[in-house]
Amino acid sequence: MQMGEGVEWGLHCLMALVWLEDQGPVAAGRLAEVFELPPEYLKKRLQPLVRAGILTSTPGARGGYSLARAPEKITLMDVVAAVEGREDAFRCTEIRQRGAGTLAGTREFGPACGVATAMRRAEMAWRRELAAQTLADLLAVAPAGAPGRVRRFHQSL
């Protein structure tokens, strides 16, 4: 499976927002500077997290982004689903019923395709693993110096 950069950007920004929570809402431009990301593009990447109830967006000169839920209530699957969508990664189009498959009886295609079954099982395991890990878990394994470094950088802006 391949995920877009929005998942990485979103997770790192969520972690930074936890470390900066005492600063109030953080403007997208300032958050973008922490990671040297294009501000307008980052704003577009954060909007799905707002729509999913992971972030709140406060308008105005002193506005910005902050977490809408506690880190232990935000799963990695929440972020992936918000950014990438909830569609299945594998879509079986039943090509087994084309070409040579047109010569088979219809009963042969009654059970689910073995390829589709295996792919669905693998995808469900992936989704379960992401759902079992939270933002709090990521924060727990972040380098010890990361929170202070992000705070110092943010204050220098």
Side-chain angles (χ1 to χ4, degrees):
M1 277 183 216
Q2 186 172 353
M3 288 179 268
E5 62 192 1
V7 172
E8 177 190 9
W9 292 15
L11 288 167
H12 281 289
C13 286
L14 291 173
M15 292 172 70
L17 287 169
V18 170
W19 297 328
L20 298 169
E21 67 186 345
D22 61 330
Q23 306 290 312
V26 178
R30 295 195 70 162
L31 200 53
E33 288 181 31
V34 170
F35 299 107
E36 294 185 349
L37 300 172
E40 290 305 314
Y41 194 56
L42 179 60
K43 279 186 202 176
K44 290 179 184 176
R45 293 299 189 183
L46 296 177
Q47 285 308 306
L49 299 175
V50 173
R51 286 191 295 274
I54 295 168
L55 286 177
T56 58
S57 176
T58 305
R62 299 182 60 76
Y65 294 93
S66 54
L67 292 186
R69 295 185 257 163
E72 57 275 1
K73 300 288 186 188
I74 300 170
T75 69
L76 274 59
M77 190 65 231
D78 293 336
V79 175
V80 170
V83 174
E84 296 289 329
R86 296 192 172 277
E87 295 81 30
D88 290 341
F90 180 81
R91 289 173 201 80
C92 181
T93 60
E94 283 291 341
I95 66 166
R96 65 187 180 146
Q97 294 185 37
R98 299 184 213 156
T102 61
L103 303 175
T106 55
R107 284 187 294 170
E108 184 175 324
F109 303 114
C113 170
V115 171
T117 300
M119 293 300 208
R120 182 71 180 147
R121 230 182 356 254
E123 183 171 346
M124 291 308 297
W126 175 76
R127 288 178 184 265
R128 275 191 302 274
E129 184 63 26
L130 289 174
Q133 295 182 60
T134 67
L135 182 59
D137 296 327
L138 292 182
L139 293 163
V141 297
R149 186 172 51 252
V150 168
R151 281 189 213 102
R152 283 188 305 277
F153 187 87
H154 182 263
Q155 289 169 349
S156 72
L157 298 174

PDB file of all heavy atoms in Angstrom, residues 2 26 29 36 39 50-51 54 56 58-59 66 71 82 84 86 103 105 110-111 120 131 137 140 142 150-151:
ATOM      1  N   GLN A   2       0.406   2.205  -0.696  1.00  0.00           N
ATOM      2  CA  GLN A   2       1.154   3.459  -0.748  1.00  0.00           C
ATOM      3  C   GLN A   2       0.254   4.582  -0.258  1.00  0.00           C
ATOM      4  O   GLN A   2      -0.880   4.721  -0.708  1.00  0.00           O
ATOM      5  CB  GLN A   2       1.602   3.733  -2.177  1.00  0.00           C
ATOM      6  CG  GLN A   2       2.486   4.926  -2.288  1.00  0.00           C
ATOM      7  CD  GLN A   2       3.075   5.063  -3.682  1.00  0.00           C
ATOM      8  OE1 GLN A   2       2.917   4.196  -4.522  1.00  0.00           O
ATOM      9  NE2 GLN A   2       3.749   6.152  -3.916  1.00  0.00           N
ATOM     10  N   VAL A  26      -2.204  27.136  16.545  1.00  0.00           N
ATOM     11  CA  VAL A  26      -0.993  27.427  15.781  1.00  0.00           C
ATOM     12  C   VAL A  26      -1.381  27.657  14.328  1.00  0.00           C
ATOM     13  O   VAL A  26      -2.030  26.809  13.712  1.00  0.00           O
ATOM     14  CB  VAL A  26       0.032  26.267  15.892  1.00  0.00           C
ATOM     15  CG1 VAL A  26       1.274  26.558  15.063  1.00  0.00           C
ATOM     16  CG2 VAL A  26       0.395  26.006  17.351  1.00  0.00           C
ATOM     17  N   GLY A  29       0.783  28.644   8.663  1.00  0.00           N
ATOM     18  CA  GLY A  29       2.066  29.150   8.177  1.00  0.00           C
ATOM     19  C   GLY A  29       3.202  28.875   9.144  1.00  0.00           C
ATOM     20  O   GLY A  29       4.299  28.494   8.741  1.00  0.00           O
ATOM     21  N   GLU A  36       9.403  23.116   7.214  1.00  0.00           N
ATOM     22  CA  GLU A  36       9.769  23.610   5.883  1.00  0.00           C
ATOM     23  C   GLU A  36       8.842  23.061   4.806  1.00  0.00           C
ATOM     24  O   GLU A  36       9.277  22.505   3.794  1.00  0.00           O
ATOM     25  CB  GLU A  36      11.233  23.294   5.550  1.00  0.00           C
ATOM     26  CG  GLU A  36      12.221  24.030   6.428  1.00  0.00           C
ATOM     27  CD  GLU A  36      13.669  23.805   6.019  1.00  0.00           C
ATOM     28  OE1 GLU A  36      13.957  22.931   5.180  1.00  0.00           O
ATOM     29  OE2 GLU A  36      14.525  24.526   6.558  1.00  0.00           O
ATOM     30  N   PRO A  39       3.157  26.473   2.945  1.00  0.00           N
ATOM     31  CA  PRO A  39       2.005  26.775   3.816  1.00  0.00           C
ATOM     32  C   PRO A  39       0.635  26.528   3.187  1.00  0.00           C
ATOM     33  O   PRO A  39      -0.236  25.946   3.822  1.00  0.00           O
ATOM     34  CB  PRO A  39       2.178  28.258   4.160  1.00  0.00           C
ATOM     35  CG  PRO A  39       3.582  28.582   3.851  1.00  0.00           C
ATOM     36  CD  PRO A  39       4.052  27.613   2.816  1.00  0.00           C
ATOM     37  N   VAL A  50      -9.592  18.469   9.967  1.00  0.00           N
ATOM     38  CA  VAL A  50     -10.623  19.295  10.601  1.00  0.00           C
ATOM     39  C   VAL A  50     -11.992  18.663  10.344  1.00  0.00           C
ATOM     40  O   VAL A  50     -12.792  18.482  11.269  1.00  0.00           O
ATOM     41  CB  VAL A  50     -10.576  20.751  10.075  1.00  0.00           C
ATOM     42  CG1 VAL A  50     -11.754  21.562  10.592  1.00  0.00           C
ATOM     43  CG2 VAL A  50      -9.252  21.418  10.464  1.00  0.00           C
ATOM     44  N   ARG A  51     -12.259  18.306   9.091  1.00  0.00           N
ATOM     45  CA  ARG A  51     -13.559  17.695   8.746  1.00  0.00           C
ATOM     46  C   ARG A  51     -13.797  16.389   9.508  1.00  0.00           C
ATOM     47  O   ARG A  51     -14.928  16.053   9.830  1.00  0.00           O
ATOM     48  CB  ARG A  51     -13.649  17.460   7.239  1.00  0.00           C
ATOM     49  CG  ARG A  51     -13.863  18.740   6.450  1.00  0.00           C
ATOM     50  CD  ARG A  51     -14.217  18.464   4.998  1.00  0.00           C
ATOM     51  NE  ARG A  51     -13.155  17.816   4.247  1.00  0.00           N
ATOM     52  CZ  ARG A  51     -12.164  18.457   3.639  1.00  0.00           C
ATOM     53  NH1 ARG A  51     -12.076  19.771   3.688  1.00  0.00           N
ATOM     54  NH2 ARG A  51     -11.252  17.787   2.965  1.00  0.00           N
ATOM     55  N   ILE A  54     -10.531  15.689  13.998  1.00  0.00           N
ATOM     56  CA  ILE A  54      -9.237  15.436  14.625  1.00  0.00           C
ATOM     57  C   ILE A  54      -8.600  16.764  15.041  1.00  0.00           C
ATOM     58  O   ILE A  54      -7.967  16.858  16.092  1.00  0.00           O
ATOM     59  CB  ILE A  54      -8.321  14.652  13.658  1.00  0.00           C
ATOM     60  CG1 ILE A  54      -8.931  13.264  13.401  1.00  0.00           C
ATOM     61  CG2 ILE A  54      -6.897  14.545  14.189  1.00  0.00           C
ATOM     62  CD1 ILE A  54      -8.287  12.500  12.267  1.00  0.00           C
ATOM     63  N   THR A  56      -9.208  21.190  15.264  1.00  0.00           N
ATOM     64  CA  THR A  56     -10.131  22.319  15.197  1.00  0.00           C
ATOM     65  C   THR A  56      -9.377  23.457  14.529  1.00  0.00           C
ATOM     66  O   THR A  56      -8.158  23.585  14.677  1.00  0.00           O
ATOM     67  CB  THR A  56     -10.620  22.775  16.588  1.00  0.00           C
ATOM     68  OG1 THR A  56      -9.495  23.123  17.375  1.00  0.00           O
ATOM     69  CG2 THR A  56     -11.407  21.686  17.277  1.00  0.00           C
ATOM     70  N   THR A  58      -9.397  27.543  14.199  1.00  0.00           N
ATOM     71  CA  THR A  58      -9.896  28.792  14.763  1.00  0.00           C
ATOM     72  C   THR A  58      -9.556  29.918  13.797  1.00  0.00           C
ATOM     73  O   THR A  58      -8.374  30.148  13.512  1.00  0.00           O
ATOM     74  CB  THR A  58      -9.240  29.061  16.138  1.00  0.00           C
ATOM     75  OG1 THR A  58      -9.460  27.926  16.970  1.00  0.00           O
ATOM     76  CG2 THR A  58      -9.811  30.302  16.786  1.00  0.00           C
ATOM     77  N   PRO A  59     -10.563  30.622  13.271  1.00  0.00           N
ATOM     78  CA  PRO A  59     -10.283  31.709  12.325  1.00  0.00           C
ATOM     79  C   PRO A  59      -9.765  32.957  13.034  1.00  0.00           C
ATOM     80  O   PRO A  59      -9.872  33.082  14.251  1.00  0.00           O
ATOM     81  CB  PRO A  59     -11.644  31.971  11.680  1.00  0.00           C
ATOM     82  CG  PRO A  59     -12.642  31.520  12.684  1.00  0.00           C
ATOM     83  CD  PRO A  59     -11.995  30.412  13.467  1.00  0.00           C
ATOM     84  N   SER A  66      -5.556  23.380  16.373  1.00  0.00           N
ATOM     85  CA  SER A  66      -5.284  22.698  17.634  1.00  0.00           C
ATOM     86  C   SER A  66      -5.995  21.346  17.585  1.00  0.00           C
ATOM     87  O   SER A  66      -6.878  21.127  16.745  1.00  0.00           O
ATOM     88  CB  SER A  66      -5.745  23.528  18.835  1.00  0.00           C
ATOM     89  OG  SER A  66      -7.098  23.887  18.693  1.00  0.00           O
ATOM     90  N   PRO A  71      -4.676  13.066  22.468  1.00  0.00           N
ATOM     91  CA  PRO A  71      -3.826  12.198  21.643  1.00  0.00           C
ATOM     92  C   PRO A  71      -4.165  10.710  21.745  1.00  0.00           C
ATOM     93  O   PRO A  71      -4.064   9.985  20.755  1.00  0.00           O
ATOM     94  CB  PRO A  71      -2.418  12.475  22.166  1.00  0.00           C
ATOM     95  CG  PRO A  71      -2.493  13.855  22.717  1.00  0.00           C
ATOM     96  CD  PRO A  71      -3.880  13.976  23.299  1.00  0.00           C
ATOM     97  N   ALA A  82      -8.907   9.947   7.209  1.00  0.00           N
ATOM     98  CA  ALA A  82      -9.230  11.349   6.943  1.00  0.00           C
ATOM     99  C   ALA A  82      -8.480  11.866   5.717  1.00  0.00           C
ATOM    100  O   ALA A  82      -9.053  12.559   4.880  1.00  0.00           O
ATOM    101  CB  ALA A  82      -8.902  12.214   8.164  1.00  0.00           C
ATOM    102  N   GLU A  84      -6.554   9.952   3.329  1.00  0.00           N
ATOM    103  CA  GLU A  84      -6.567   9.109   2.131  1.00  0.00           C
ATOM    104  C   GLU A  84      -7.958   8.631   1.728  1.00  0.00           C
ATOM    105  O   GLU A  84      -8.140   8.160   0.624  1.00  0.00           O
ATOM    106  CB  GLU A  84      -5.672   7.883   2.351  1.00  0.00           C
ATOM    107  CG  GLU A  84      -4.214   8.209   2.552  1.00  0.00           C
ATOM    108  CD  GLU A  84      -3.525   8.698   1.286  1.00  0.00           C
ATOM    109  OE1 GLU A  84      -3.916   8.270   0.179  1.00  0.00           O
ATOM    110  OE2 GLU A  84      -2.620   9.528   1.399  1.00  0.00           O
ATOM    111  N   ARG A  86     -11.644   6.336   2.910  1.00  0.00           N
ATOM    112  CA  ARG A  86     -11.955   5.036   3.510  1.00  0.00           C
ATOM    113  C   ARG A  86     -12.128   3.921   2.482  1.00  0.00           C
ATOM    114  O   ARG A  86     -12.497   2.811   2.830  1.00  0.00           O
ATOM    115  CB  ARG A  86     -13.223   5.150   4.354  1.00  0.00           C
ATOM    116  CG  ARG A  86     -13.051   6.079   5.541  1.00  0.00           C
ATOM    117  CD  ARG A  86     -14.208   5.944   6.523  1.00  0.00           C
ATOM    118  NE  ARG A  86     -13.945   6.687   7.722  1.00  0.00           N
ATOM    119  CZ  ARG A  86     -13.215   6.261   8.748  1.00  0.00           C
ATOM    120  NH1 ARG A  86     -12.671   5.084   8.710  1.00  0.00           N
ATOM    121  NH2 ARG A  86     -13.040   7.014   9.808  1.00  0.00           N
ATOM    122  N   LEU A 103     -15.899 -19.449 -20.391  1.00  0.00           N
ATOM    123  CA  LEU A 103     -16.169 -20.851 -20.715  1.00  0.00           C
ATOM    124  C   LEU A 103     -16.569 -21.660 -19.474  1.00  0.00           C
ATOM    125  O   LEU A 103     -17.006 -22.801 -19.600  1.00  0.00           O
ATOM    126  CB  LEU A 103     -14.930 -21.481 -21.358  1.00  0.00           C
ATOM    127  CG  LEU A 103     -14.414 -20.784 -22.623  1.00  0.00           C
ATOM    128  CD1 LEU A 103     -13.118 -21.429 -23.084  1.00  0.00           C
ATOM    129  CD2 LEU A 103     -15.469 -20.819 -23.718  1.00  0.00           C
ATOM    130  N   GLY A 105     -18.667 -22.546 -15.891  1.00  0.00           N
ATOM    131  CA  GLY A 105     -20.045 -22.463 -15.407  1.00  0.00           C
ATOM    132  C   GLY A 105     -20.179 -21.360 -14.366  1.00  0.00           C
ATOM    133  O   GLY A 105     -19.201 -20.992 -13.704  1.00  0.00           O
ATOM    134  N   GLY A 110     -19.260 -18.546  -7.788  1.00  0.00           N
ATOM    135  CA  GLY A 110     -20.074 -18.281  -6.598  1.00  0.00           C
ATOM    136  C   GLY A 110     -19.253 -17.875  -5.388  1.00  0.00           C
ATOM    137  O   GLY A 110     -19.511 -16.846  -4.771  1.00  0.00           O
ATOM    138  N   PRO A 111     -18.230 -18.663  -5.018  1.00  0.00           N
ATOM    139  CA  PRO A 111     -17.427 -18.254  -3.857  1.00  0.00           C
ATOM    140  C   PRO A 111     -16.561 -17.036  -4.201  1.00  0.00           C
ATOM    141  O   PRO A 111     -16.256 -16.798  -5.359  1.00  0.00           O
ATOM    142  CB  PRO A 111     -16.562 -19.481  -3.570  1.00  0.00           C
ATOM    143  CG  PRO A 111     -16.608 -20.334  -4.777  1.00  0.00           C
ATOM    144  CD  PRO A 111     -17.831 -19.954  -5.565  1.00  0.00           C
ATOM    145  N   ARG A 120      -8.177  -8.753   0.954  1.00  0.00           N
ATOM    146  CA  ARG A 120      -9.053  -8.167   1.977  1.00  0.00           C
ATOM    147  C   ARG A 120      -8.551  -8.512   3.377  1.00  0.00           C
ATOM    148  O   ARG A 120      -8.547  -7.674   4.273  1.00  0.00           O
ATOM    149  CB  ARG A 120     -10.496  -8.671   1.780  1.00  0.00           C
ATOM    150  CG  ARG A 120     -11.475  -8.088   2.749  1.00  0.00           C
ATOM    151  CD  ARG A 120     -11.720  -6.629   2.439  1.00  0.00           C
ATOM    152  NE  ARG A 120     -12.672  -6.102   3.404  1.00  0.00           N
ATOM    153  CZ  ARG A 120     -12.647  -4.867   3.837  1.00  0.00           C
ATOM    154  NH1 ARG A 120     -11.772  -4.021   3.376  1.00  0.00           N
ATOM    155  NH2 ARG A 120     -13.515  -4.466   4.712  1.00  0.00           N
ATOM    156  N   ALA A 131      -5.442   1.092  13.641  1.00  0.00           N
ATOM    157  CA  ALA A 131      -6.477   1.462  14.607  1.00  0.00           C
ATOM    158  C   ALA A 131      -6.025   1.194  16.043  1.00  0.00           C
ATOM    159  O   ALA A 131      -6.529   1.816  16.979  1.00  0.00           O
ATOM    160  CB  ALA A 131      -7.774   0.705  14.316  1.00  0.00           C
ATOM    161  N   ASP A 137       0.766   7.020  21.348  1.00  0.00           N
ATOM    162  CA  ASP A 137       1.818   6.014  21.161  1.00  0.00           C
ATOM    163  C   ASP A 137       2.998   6.604  20.393  1.00  0.00           C
ATOM    164  O   ASP A 137       4.158   6.324  20.717  1.00  0.00           O
ATOM    165  CB  ASP A 137       1.278   4.791  20.416  1.00  0.00           C
ATOM    166  CG  ASP A 137       0.197   4.048  21.185  1.00  0.00           C
ATOM    167  OD1 ASP A 137       0.252   4.024  22.431  1.00  0.00           O
ATOM    168  OD2 ASP A 137      -0.722   3.497  20.527  1.00  0.00           O
ATOM    169  N   ALA A 140       5.001   8.866  22.598  1.00  0.00           N
ATOM    170  CA  ALA A 140       5.789   8.120  23.584  1.00  0.00           C
ATOM    171  C   ALA A 140       7.126   7.646  23.028  1.00  0.00           C
ATOM    172  O   ALA A 140       8.074   7.458  23.796  1.00  0.00           O
ATOM    173  CB  ALA A 140       4.978   6.928  24.105  1.00  0.00           C
ATOM    174  N   ALA A 142       8.723   9.268  20.419  1.00  0.00           N
ATOM    175  CA  ALA A 142       9.420  10.385  19.758  1.00  0.00           C
ATOM    176  C   ALA A 142      10.747  10.636  20.469  1.00  0.00           C
ATOM    177  O   ALA A 142      10.862  10.412  21.674  1.00  0.00           O
ATOM    178  CB  ALA A 142       8.545  11.634  19.793  1.00  0.00           C
ATOM    179  N   VAL A 150      11.017  21.626  18.909  1.00  0.00           N
ATOM    180  CA  VAL A 150       9.875  22.214  18.201  1.00  0.00           C
ATOM    181  C   VAL A 150       9.419  23.491  18.905  1.00  0.00           C
ATOM    182  O   VAL A 150       9.150  24.503  18.253  1.00  0.00           O
ATOM    183  CB  VAL A 150       8.716  21.194  18.066  1.00  0.00           C
ATOM    184  CG1 VAL A 150       7.439  21.864  17.611  1.00  0.00           C
ATOM    185  CG2 VAL A 150       9.111  20.083  17.102  1.00  0.00           C
ATOM    186  N   ARG A 151       9.364  23.470  20.237  1.00  0.00           N
ATOM    187  CA  ARG A 151       8.952  24.671  20.981  1.00  0.00           C
ATOM    188  C   ARG A 151       9.925  25.840  20.766  1.00  0.00           C
ATOM    189  O   ARG A 151       9.519  26.963  20.519  1.00  0.00           O
ATOM    190  CB  ARG A 151       8.856  24.362  22.478  1.00  0.00           C
ATOM    191  CG  ARG A 151       7.589  23.641  22.861  1.00  0.00           C
ATOM    192  CD  ARG A 151       7.448  23.563  24.394  1.00  0.00           C
ATOM    193  NE  ARG A 151       6.789  22.345  24.731  1.00  0.00           N
ATOM    194  CZ  ARG A 151       7.379  21.238  25.186  1.00  0.00           C
ATOM    195  NH1 ARG A 151       8.666  21.208  25.424  1.00  0.00           N
ATOM    196  NH2 ARG A 151       6.666  20.179  25.449  1.00  0.00           N
TER     197      ARG A 151
END
